[in-house]
Amino acid sequence: MRKSFIYALLVAIMVAWGLNVTALKILVEHFSPVALTALRILTAGLVVLLFLWGIGKLQKVSWNEAKQIGLAALFSVVAHHFFLALGLARTTAVNAGLVLGMVPLVTALLAIVFLGQRPTLFRLLGIALGFFGVVFVVANGDGGLGHLSIGDVYIFLAVLAQGISFIMIKKATVEARVMTGWMLVFGSLWLFVLSLVLEPSGLSSLKEGTLPLWLIFLASAVVATALGHMFYNQAVQHLGPAESAVFINLNPLFSLLGAHWLLGEPISWMQLAGFLFIVAGVMFGSGGMDDVIARFRRAKAVEGGRKAGM
């Protein structure tokens, strides 16, 4: 796949993930969070596997690949969503948004340590600009920037788990889409077990859903979770975890726009300024500027070669 297509796909995924925040806000007001998450992720996993079966790409996995999938699912699905659920119950949405904005930075650092990747100056600048933009967005919301709490620690553990899973996906030998489907299914089963322990009446709360709520649930499970994670993990295998994670900085932008359009929540000028930093961060951090400079240098070298041959 061409890089430009992958970049456009990642932006589309961030739109879906950003709007999914609004969808989840609505759903968790009516269902138990962990039970809802388990059912949503199981639905997404089955959709991915059915999609791959339909196009003839549902290949068999070896025992070694199954171990890769299970370990990645432990971090990507179980740990990430478990700590995220605990954290959101114990901290403000503002602080959670700020800590979640550290995903690109944490992923880039993990890529340096475990994959030996050397980030360029532009990519480091992009990570910094994106994180600064996230600070602008979340710190100028209605809640302001609150005090750190145990909930913030849980959110950071969710970020760390997600970053580790990106490294595992990059190093895995199994195809990204197949890996995504099985990760979602395996992870959802563990979340169902956690739900039974933490939310004894969690599964019974799912019986109270209405048709509009289940339509929102299906949109969240199929579009944001199934298709979003499947294509995002495929991008990770093509671009690498650090470059792909930079696009996660767009999440606060689309989540706030979704909340503004669908829930009527206001957006301040300071948040709009933060959006500009986020966009600049994606441009630099994704490697776009490195590509521009590389093309400029190649063109200059070709021009210099022509002049020397005259």
Side-chain angles (χ1 to χ4, degrees), residues 43-62:
T43 303
L46 293 176
V47 168
V48 172
L49 294 179
L50 284 172
F51 172 80
L52 294 175
W53 176 78
I55 63 174
K57 296 293 185 180
L58 187 57
Q59 63 194 48
K60 293 182 179 180
V61 296
S62 65

Side-chain angles (χ1 to χ4, degrees), residues 40-163:
R40 179 172 59 86
I41 291 175
L42 176 62
T43 303
L46 293 176
V47 168
V48 172
L49 294 179
L50 284 172
F51 172 80
L52 294 175
W53 176 78
I55 63 174
K57 296 293 185 180
L58 187 57
Q59 63 194 48
K60 293 182 179 180
V61 296
S62 65
W63 173 243
N64 184 56
E65 290 173 334
K67 289 190 290 185
Q68 293 177 11
I69 293 171
L71 189 59
L74 188 63
F75 286 93
S76 177
V77 180
V78 182
H80 174 69
H81 288 283
F82 176 72
F83 284 122
L84 190 61
L86 288 181
L88 287 172
R90 291 167 173 81
T91 189
T92 63
V94 168
N95 278 25
L98 176 58
V99 179
L100 286 171
M102 296 177 67
V103 168
L105 176 60
V106 170
T107 305
L109 293 176
L110 290 173
I112 293 171
V113 174
F114 294 106
L115 299 180
Q117 292 184 358
R118 297 191 177 213
T120 64
L121 180 61
F122 280 121
R123 291 192 180 183
L124 289 175
L125 177 61
I127 292 170
L129 286 173
F131 181 68
F132 190 57
V134 171
V135 173
F136 260 64
V137 169
V138 299
N140 288 282
D142 292 338
L145 186 59
H147 299 289
L148 288 175
S149 66
I150 187 62
D152 299 312
V153 176
Y154 286 140
I155 298 293
F156 178 75
L157 290 176
V159 168
L160 184 61
Q162 190 171 45

Side-chain angles (χ1 to χ4, degrees), residues 102-222:
M102 296 177 67
V103 168
L105 176 60
V106 170
T107 305
L109 293 176
L110 290 173
I112 293 171
V113 174
F114 294 106
L115 299 180
Q117 292 184 358
R118 297 191 177 213
T120 64
L121 180 61
F122 280 121
R123 291 192 180 183
L124 289 175
L125 177 61
I127 292 170
L129 286 173
F131 181 68
F132 190 57
V134 171
V135 173
F136 260 64
V137 169
V138 299
N140 288 282
D142 292 338
L145 186 59
H147 299 289
L148 288 175
S149 66
I150 187 62
D152 299 312
V153 176
Y154 286 140
I155 298 293
F156 178 75
L157 290 176
V159 168
L160 184 61
Q162 190 171 45
I164 292 172
S165 73
F166 292 158
I167 303 300
M168 291 180 171
I169 291 167
K170 174 63 178 176
K171 297 179 71 174
T173 57
V174 63
E175 202 270 337
R177 294 174 297 180
V178 175
M179 188 173 188
T180 301
W182 287 117
M183 277 198 313
L184 292 171
V185 171
F186 290 162
S188 68
L189 298 179
W190 281 105
L191 286 172
F192 271 119
V193 173
L194 288 173
S195 172
L196 293 175
V197 175
L198 300 175
E199 302 170 345
S201 60
L203 293 178
S204 62
S205 73
L206 300 176
K207 301 176 182 178
E208 302 172 4
T210 61
L211 179 59
L213 287 175
W214 286 117
L215 290 175
I216 294 173
F217 170 86
L218 286 175
S220 171
V222 175

Side-chain angles (χ1 to χ4, degrees), residues 198-267:
L198 300 175
E199 302 170 345
S201 60
L203 293 178
S204 62
S205 73
L206 300 176
K207 301 176 182 178
E208 302 172 4
T210 61
L211 179 59
L213 287 175
W214 286 117
L215 290 175
I216 294 173
F217 170 86
L218 286 175
S220 171
V222 175
V223 178
T225 307
L227 300 179
H229 280 84
M230 181 173 65
F231 290 119
Y232 183 85
N233 290 340
Q234 194 174 20
V236 168
Q237 286 196 336
H238 278 86
L239 300 179
E243 187 171 343
S244 301
V246 170
F247 286 82
I248 294 177
N249 280 323
L250 289 170
N251 268 353
L253 166 61
F254 294 120
S255 63
L256 283 180
L257 288 176
H260 176 70
W261 291 332
L262 301 176
L263 301 178
E265 295 184 4
I267 298 177

